[in-house]
Amino acid sequence: MKKTVLVSGGAGFIGSHVAVELIQAGYEVVVADNFSNCDMTCYEGVKKITGRNDIPLVKMDFCDAEATEKLFSDYRIDAVIHFAAYKAVGESVLKPLKYYSNNIQSFLNVLETACNHGGCQVLFSSSATVYGEPEKLPVTEESPRQSATSPYGNTKQICEDMLRDTVHATEGLVKGIALRYFNPIGAHPSALIGELPRGVPNNLVPFITQTAIGKRECLSIFGNDYPTPDGTCQRDYIDIVDLAKAHVCAVTRMLEGKMKQPYEIFNIGTGRPVSVLELVKAFEKVNNLKLNYKFAPRRAGDVTAIWADPTHANEEMGWKAERTIEQTLASAWAWEKHIAGK
Ligand code: UFG
């Protein structure tokens, strides 16, 4: 019998790509979302890509404990992947309690319900933000976590700890994996699902694509005086489809009893540092266009450079990032044109 995976926040950017890969790998998927930061576009896209019209969609909020309990009772959930959370770093500094109450409460309800329904496995969507400004690069899973520089980052650390402690308290009945993402970018090659930022994008790639299509006048590159080869910040940009596939590997590892510890952590990145300027130039080249950009002052809270050592995920999960930065940037541009109706 097929295993069923609940994807909380499954109508969003990462969740929808993960839903596609899970279905294509032979899992049943239940999508649950409160639509606070997305619309039906990606859910409809998932149906089109997979040719499945019967993917259960539950409109609900994981902060609602009763609704969470009901969901687990209505569907026989073997594993849950928890994405449902607020994610704007800047907003979290201005409205910390919004982030603490939503991101912590929703995960608390998921964990409590997973415990009540004994034996449900939990995959948590964490972030490289837990490493702060790393002392040594690339970062491995053993690199120390640094104290968070934003309430958003703090919720990721707290949720990781909640998962670890729950796994230990249940003596492994509930198992957990935290995936620490680096910078997820791009869109599905079909251009049917992708990122749909509301208002002015905070993240680099949506700002680039919106500038290229004429929605924004000019990209500001935040800082060109960092101690990096070209003076701009370096990140590990990971293709969204590669990232989604890492979730399939992690869920399979959990459900097939291949975990070496009941709580495991994996870095999900490419191991390849790319500077902001290199990314802009690669985008121009692969899509054969010129981008209007200027150098601007540094953005508060940015780390100079961070990239992953993905060896642990490569060797233990048999997962590896495959898409080139060119393929990824072409997919981001195709998606932007798709949503602009061009
Ligand atoms: N940048 C610009 N101009 C922009 C937007 C971004 O120059 O308009 C630069 C940033 O200064 C940074 C790089 O592009 O150097 C990447 O910025 P993003 O905002 O796209 O991503 P971050 O690395 O800041 O943040 C991402 C996720 C967070 C996560 C963090 C942890 O968005 O959720 O990685 O590593 F917490």
Side-chain angles (χ1 to χ4, degrees):
M1 199 157 104
K2 281 189 177 183
K3 300 272 187 191
T4 302
V5 182
L6 166 64
V7 184
S8 87
F13 171 46
I14 302 181
S16 59
H17 286 82
V18 169
V20 166
E21 296 306 319
L22 285 169
I23 292 166
Q24 291 181 339
Y27 288 102
E28 286 299 333
V29 165
V30 176
V31 171
D33 211 299
N34 68 357
F35 291 90
S36 66
N37 193 31
C38 62
D39 58 22
M40 290 288 282
T41 309
C42 287
Y43 173 71
E44 293 300 335
V46 172
K47 291 201 292 185
K48 271 199 199 120
I49 295 167
T50 58
R52 287 276 305 268
N53 270 316
D54 57 347
I55 305 162
L57 169 66
V58 183
K59 290 188 189 179
M60 60 160 290
D61 194 325
F62 285 88
C63 290
D64 180 341
E66 270 176 39
T68 307
E69 181 58 43
K70 182 171 182 327
L71 182 68
F72 277 72
S73 301
D74 289 349
Y75 299 91
R76 195 188 42 78
I77 307 293
D78 295 294
V80 48
I81 307 183
H82 185 67
F83 293 109
Y86 295 144
K87 61 172 186 179
V89 179
E91 187 195 40
S92 80
V93 176
L94 300 173
K95 298 179 182 168
L97 299 182
K98 174 176 171 180
Y99 278 69
Y100 285 115
S101 69
N102 183 67
N103 293 8
I104 306 293
Q105 186 65 55
S106 60
F107 195 46
L108 197 147
N109 289 342
V110 165
L111 287 175
E112 214 151 39
T113 314
C115 291
N116 294 343
H117 288 255
C120 176
Q121 318 298 324
V122 181
L123 198 160
F124 178 63
S125 146
S126 191
S127 165
T129 194
V130 302
Y131 297 116
E133 178 92 60
E135 272 165 28
K136 266 198 349 214
L137 286 164
V139 288
T140 70
E141 291 77 0
E142 274 71 50
S143 300
R145 289 193 332 192
Q146 312 257 12
S147 104
T149 53
S150 72
Y152 159 79
N154 207 14
T155 66
K156 291 292 176 196
Q157 298 200 358
I158 294 168
C159 287
E160 281 193 356
D161 294 347
M162 284 163 57
L163 179 56
R164 180 202 59 205
D165 295 346
T166 304
V167 165
H168 289 158
T170 62
E171 295 177 347
L173 179 66
V174 172
K175 294 193 179 59
I177 293 184
L179 298 183
R180 292 178 176 161
Y181 314 148
F182 284 69
N183 288 58
I185 62 164
H188 195 267
S190 65
L192 291 171
I193 54 175
E195 208 167 350
L196 276 174
R198 290 198 171 154
V200 183
N202 296 310
N203 296 116
L204 179 60
V205 170
F207 206 105
I208 288 177
T209 56
Q210 289 196 6
T211 306
I213 209 138
K215 267 197 217 165
R216 311 275 156 215
E217 210 164 292
C218 181
L219 167 76
S220 292
I221 294 182
F222 300 135
N224 63 342
D225 57 352
Y226 283 98
T228 58
D230 65 18
T232 66
C233 292
Q234 292 172 303
R235 295 287 183 275
D236 185 335
Y237 296 95
I238 168 83
D239 184 274
I240 187 67
V241 176
D242 280 334
L243 180 91
K245 287 182 173 159
H247 294 74
V248 177
C249 294
V251 161
T252 304
R253 181 178 175 84
M254 290 174 135
L255 293 177
E256 292 185 355
K258 293 188 177 142
M259 292 173 71
K260 296 221 168 114
Q261 305 287 336
Y263 173 63
E264 296 181 330
I265 298 170
F266 293 97
N267 282 342
I268 304 300
T270 66
R272 165 198 66 199
V274 174
S275 76
V276 178
L277 202 53
E278 284 170 333
L279 192 92
V280 167
K281 299 240 184 277
F283 180 84
E284 290 185 322
K285 191 163 176 227
V286 70
N287 295 313
N288 195 25
L289 46 79
K290 277 270 156 239
L291 196 74
N292 194 19
Y293 69 86
K294 63 175 186 207
F295 293 112
R298 293 180 177 195
R299 182 172 72 175
D302 274 339
V303 300
T304 302
I306 182 163
W307 66 92
D309 177 344
T311 310
H312 187 48
N314 298 163
E315 291 180 353
E316 274 296 316
M317 291 206 296
W319 169 87
K320 201 172 182 344
E322 282 168 356
R323 306 235 294 162
T324 64
I325 193 85
E326 287 77 19
Q327 287 173 312
T328 306
L329 292 172
S331 73
W333 181 227
W335 166 247
E336 185 67 55
K337 286 189 287 187
H338 171 77
I339 50 180
K342 291 188 183 173

